[in-house]
Amino acid sequence: MLLKRTHTCGELTKEHVGQTVALNGWVDAWRDFGGLVFIDLRDRYGVTQVVFEPEAGADLQSQARELRNEYVVGIRGTVAARLPGKENPKLKTGAVEVRAVELSVYNASPTPPFEINGPEPNEELRLKYRFLDLRRPELQRVFILRHEIGQLMRRVMTEMNFLEVETPVLGRSTPEGARDFLVPSRVHPSHYYALPQSPQLYKQLLMVSGFDRYFQIARCFRDEDLRATRQPEFSQLDVEMSFVEDEDVMTMMETLVAAMAKQFGGEELKLPLYRIEYHDAMERYGNDRPDLRYGLELKDVADVAEETEFRVFQQAKEAGYRIRGICAPGGAEKYSRKDLDGLTEFAGSFGAKGLVWLKVEAETFAGPTAKFFTKPEVQAKLRERFDAKAGDLILIVADTQAVTSQALSNLRARLAAELEMYDPRSFHYSWVIRFPLLAWDADENRYVAEHHPFTMPMAEDLPLLDTDPAKVRAQAYDLVVNGEEAGGGTIRCHDPVIQSKIFALLGLTPEEADEKFGFLLSALRNGAPPHGGIALGYDRLVMLYAGLTNIRDCIAFPKTAKGTDLMTGAPGTVAARQLRELHIRPNLD
RNA sequence: GGGGAUGUAGCUCAAUUGGUUAGAGCACCGGCCUGUCACGCCGGAGGUUGUGGGUUCGAGCCCCAUCAUCCUCGCCA
């Protein structure tokens, strides 16, 4: 029988003393004292202690004695103040307990595969029994936070006059970008829908339709290999607006970012947020999404290297390599020779063929290559370049632009963490702007879009489209939080002539462009307003504000690194009949 | 597709150099207990050491293969 609840397990206080209440929930713990039985009852609001006393009758007590962890029950009883000195300050409801007069067991439960309030089980088990895993208060807290972040997004966007519109999940495959998830059409043999990588084109079309300010918390799909912060399906706050340039989109988005920072980061943000151009970010941090909670900037030391007798540097110069480094304050004391070998190996994992390290001492440098850096002017220049003091550690990589950037930016992040150069609970928000429009793809022997193919070049760079496309900067902006890309967007190309020119640079013939994007070009020709937008990674923001390092814990039913669902068994096989209907013959080679 | 880590009781972990009967805490089962909330006390049960092969007098430990999970490179407009 259902004992319909009058309160949740998180709300009873001294004010309720004397009331008759009913609670529903799961048995979180039981303590049997023979004459007295305690049950901790849990729901998503909290835990309340229920006591079964002898006065309630032997039958009820013996029923209570049968209860085990994770049984789902309803109880009716009277709220009583706890005996003086017996309050539990760890519980919101710890000042009271419910003296049970009635118990209804809705469902028994076997001994669970792991303890809901015990140590965190391994992830395989958690994912297999996700419905139990999600009972754990740590995870419940994440999903409550996720809901609150979503609500804040909807409220702030609505206040700024944005309209929520849904776009299709079944769309058509686009040739650029990530691999698509495909859905075969039953009605049209050999034709396939694609799940959206983002609602990009639809939201642009909504601008052409005059919807002016659109948003959506949209599910996106990408069939690429997964990582700690990457799932095949994820959600983003997708935004598009008309009659704007890049500053307008950033300013608008800062309103939301400030609201989130205030509510979830406990911080009053100073606006506008710091902006850094892509080129400067790459130069100073070797990364287009630098973590700016700490300095540790990259410095070019090619000119100093030239003055040394170090062969590695001379060969680097001949190869046209860059010679760059960072200086870790206090690093010489922190890192042993063995640690430094570890750092060298770490740099090697990003392609660096070596890592020059110099321990800065009062008068000299120490280290296996220090003998190449003994000239007074070399010493002085390096100290000045890195603002190096005794006890610091200078790390130098000589390699291509890409390798020095990758190796040093990763070293930078690692050193800052290990040397505790920032508060890991703090947040730093910034914009990286003016990305290159195009990147040269040597494998495909053509340009590919750095962001996506619908991006507007910066007006002053438009002439370069014809002369030096690689130099064209885009009206693009990424929101970076703590070294993670929290979102990104662009001003779109609303001019069909420029759009066609970009398609051509991407290696699309006019016919191909028309075949793939004819509807977009048509829309652009039919009164497309200047427009642009942005998308914020919803799951990533939840992860950030929840203090997590893994996106799976921000998604109720996530996939493993190989894209499987350990609970449902997806992806699974299907009946031959289903395949026949879809005109698919499996290739079992 | 490549690299790395892990896999021991239901769970979290331990097990020295390859050497006795693979241990502990929690959970579980039985008993006792009227104020616990990490209850306590007494007793008990629970293991094909992921799987398959190999080396060895002897393998949780060494070798090979394989599976799973995690991290990572490539990839991710």
Side-chain angles (χ1 to χ4, degrees):
Chain A
M1 189 189 77
L2 182 64
L3 291 174
K4 206 167 277 188
R5 67 181 174 187
T6 59
H7 296 77
T8 70
C9 295
E11 67 175 307
L12 295 178
T13 65
K14 280 208 159 121
E15 294 180 9
H16 300 89
V17 167
Q19 293 184 20
T20 297
V21 299
L23 299 179
N24 288 183
W26 286 262
V27 173
D28 195 51
W30 54 279
R31 294 176 292 281
D32 181 359
F33 282 81
L36 207 55
V37 181
F38 293 100
I39 298 293
D40 291 340
L41 200 60
R42 182 192 71 238
D43 63 15
R44 85 166 152 100
Y45 307 92
V47 170
T48 300
Q49 174 167 284
V50 180
V51 58
F52 294 82
E53 298 172 305
E55 294 79 1
D59 280 359
L60 184 64
Q61 267 207 326
S62 65
Q63 267 188 68
R65 208 160 271 137
E66 299 297 312
L67 295 176
R68 290 297 178 269
N69 288 349
E70 300 312 313
Y71 278 31
V72 209
V73 302
I75 64 104
R76 197 197 314 278
T78 312
V79 181
R82 296 216 188 168
L83 303 177
K86 301 294 184 186
E87 296 89 356
N88 184 349
K90 289 181 209 157
L91 291 183
K92 270 189 292 180
T93 61
V96 298
E97 63 194 3
V98 175
R99 293 187 178 150
V101 296
E102 193 177 355
L103 168 67
S104 181
V105 177
Y106 301 142
N107 242 326
S109 172
T111 302
F114 53 85
E115 293 167 63
I116 304 303
N117 50 19
E120 181 164 298
N122 81 60
E123 193 152 4
E124 201 173 343
L125 197 66
R126 291 177 52 203
L127 292 176
K128 183 172 175 189
Y129 296 96
R130 189 61 162 177
F131 47 88
L132 296 180
D133 191 33
L134 288 169
R135 278 186 200 163
R136 298 189 304 121
E138 302 98 285
L139 281 196
Q140 299 229 330
R141 186 180 60 83
V142 173
F143 288 94
I144 292 166
L145 175 68
R146 184 180 174 110
H147 168 80
E148 287 169 349
I149 291 174
Q151 289 303 301
L152 180 77
M153 287 174 169
R154 287 203 159 92
R155 178 172 66 73
V156 172
M157 295 313 289
T158 303
E159 281 168 6
M160 292 193 294
N161 216 19
F162 283 78
L163 203 63
E164 185 167 5
V165 181
E166 288 154 283
T167 53
V169 165
L170 295 176
R172 72 171 292 170
S173 182
T174 54
E176 299 281 328
R179 201 175 283 119
D180 285 318
F181 280 102
L182 297 178
V183 179
S185 164
R186 174 180 57 81
V187 179
H188 303 281
S190 299
H191 286 62
Y192 299 84
Y193 301 100
L195 306 184
Q197 299 174 25
S198 89
Q200 181 60 37
L201 294 176
Y202 293 110
K203 66 176 174 176
Q204 291 191 236
L205 297 174
L206 286 172
M207 294 303 104
V208 179
S209 304
F211 280 99
D212 164 30
R213 291 186 158 211
Y214 139 95
F215 84 97
Q216 177 185 195
I217 294 182
R219 190 66 60 87
C220 305
F221 305 86
R222 293 177 192 177
D223 188 7
E224 296 293 346
D225 284 358
L226 308 180
R227 289 283 192 287
T229 58
R230 221 191 286 160
Q231 280 277 298
E233 54 178 312
F234 58 96
S235 301
Q236 60 186 35
L237 173 68
D238 196 51
V239 177
E240 195 77 4
M241 52 203 301
S242 294
F243 312 117
V244 291
E245 39 197 14
D246 46 9
E247 274 298 325
D248 300 312
V249 180
M250 286 188 274
T251 301
M252 176 281 300
M253 194 45 60
E254 285 176 356
T255 303
L256 175 61
V257 171
M260 289 194 293
K262 185 172 182 181
Q263 185 170 341
F264 306 113
E267 177 184 10
E268 206 73 48
L269 276 194
K270 196 167 145 267
L271 300 180
L273 298 176
Y274 179 71
R275 287 149 165 73
I276 181 169
E277 291 205 22
Y278 169 88
H279 179 267
D280 294 338
M282 293 305 290
E283 202 52 36
R284 289 165 59 188
Y285 306 101
N287 196 310
D288 63 2
R289 44 177 170 82
D291 192 336
L292 297 180
R293 286 176 296 180
Y294 47 90
L296 215 56
E297 291 191 20
L298 276 56
K299 302 290 181 189
D300 190 307
V301 294
D303 57 325
V304 188
E306 204 165 288
E307 295 179 40
T308 68
E309 305 288 318
F310 194 20
R311 262 189 58 219
V312 169
F313 286 168
Q314 265 129 45
Q315 287 165 349
K317 192 190 171 191
E318 284 158 26
Y321 283 175
R322 300 206 56 183
I323 303 175
R324 299 200 284 174
I326 56 174
C327 174
E333 285 138 22
K334 164 93 180 179
Y335 291 106
S336 68
R337 177 62 196 261
K338 196 179 157 200
D339 295 334
L340 289 161
D341 287 344
L343 290 181
T344 304
E345 194 182 322
F346 182 69
S349 72
F350 300 99
K353 289 178 279 295
L355 179 66
V356 174
W357 55 264
L358 297 167
K359 290 189 167 183
V360 181
E361 300 181 339
E363 301 295 331
T364 57
F365 293 153
T369 56
K371 58 178 179 276
F372 299 112
F373 299 86
T374 48
K375 277 193 209 164
E377 58 270 30
V378 167
Q379 289 256 340
K381 276 187 188 168
L382 277 183
R383 281 170 197 271
E384 195 204 332
R385 184 72 42 88
F386 288 113
D387 192 23
K389 297 171 183 58
D392 292 356
L393 176 71
I394 293 175
L395 299 171
I396 298 172
V397 176
D399 214 300
T400 59
Q401 165 78 17
V403 169
T404 54
S405 291
Q406 276 218 32
L408 288 169
S409 70
N410 281 290
L411 277 168
R412 178 177 172 268
R414 177 169 165 177
L415 292 170
E418 290 179 357
L419 295 169
E420 297 175 9
M421 293 176 68
Y422 61 93
D423 177 356
R425 291 161 306 177
S426 63
F427 297 95
H428 188 285
Y429 308 79
S430 57
W431 292 104
V432 177
I433 60 174
R434 301 184 180 180
F435 282 70
L437 183 73
L438 303 165
W440 181 254
D441 186 322
D443 289 344
E444 298 200 31
N445 200 35
R446 66 174 182 106
Y447 286 105
V448 294
E450 185 73 33
H451 192 86
H452 62 58
F454 321 111
T455 300
M456 183 71 110
M458 288 186 61
E460 60 195 270
D461 291 355
L462 275 175
L464 292 170
L465 271 182
D466 299 314
T467 57
D468 194 353
K471 284 232 166 71
V472 176
R473 291 168 300 167
Q475 295 194 45
Y477 31 82
D478 274 6
L479 178 68
V480 176
V481 187
N482 295 357
E484 293 277 351
E485 183 190 334
T490 63
I491 297 298
R492 325 299 182 189
C493 197
H494 68 278
D495 179 335
V497 176
I498 300 175
Q499 183 66 73
S500 294
K501 194 177 275 187
I502 292 172
F503 281 150
L505 282 167
L506 295 173
L508 289 173
T509 64
E511 292 73 28
E512 285 169 332
D514 198 55
E515 148 74 12
K516 301 289 183 191
F517 301 115
F519 62 101
L520 176 70
L521 292 170
S522 164
L524 294 182
R525 281 191 295 266
N526 280 274
H531 64 285
I534 190 166
L536 295 192
Y538 183 23
D539 318 276
R540 281 192 185 178
L541 285 169
V542 175
M543 180 176 88
L544 211 60
Y545 288 120
L548 299 170
T549 53
N550 161 342
I551 210 165
R552 289 184 297 277
D553 285 344
C554 308
I555 294 175
F557 299 102
K559 306 285 190 291
T560 67
K562 285 200 178 148
T564 61
D565 180 335
L566 295 179
M567 187 177 59
T568 66
T573 54
V574 296
R577 179 205 163 100
Q578 288 175 283
L579 290 180
R580 277 198 302 277
E581 282 180 340
L582 294 169
H583 322 284
I584 290 174
R585 193 181 308 129
N587 180 355
L588 298 174
D589 295 348

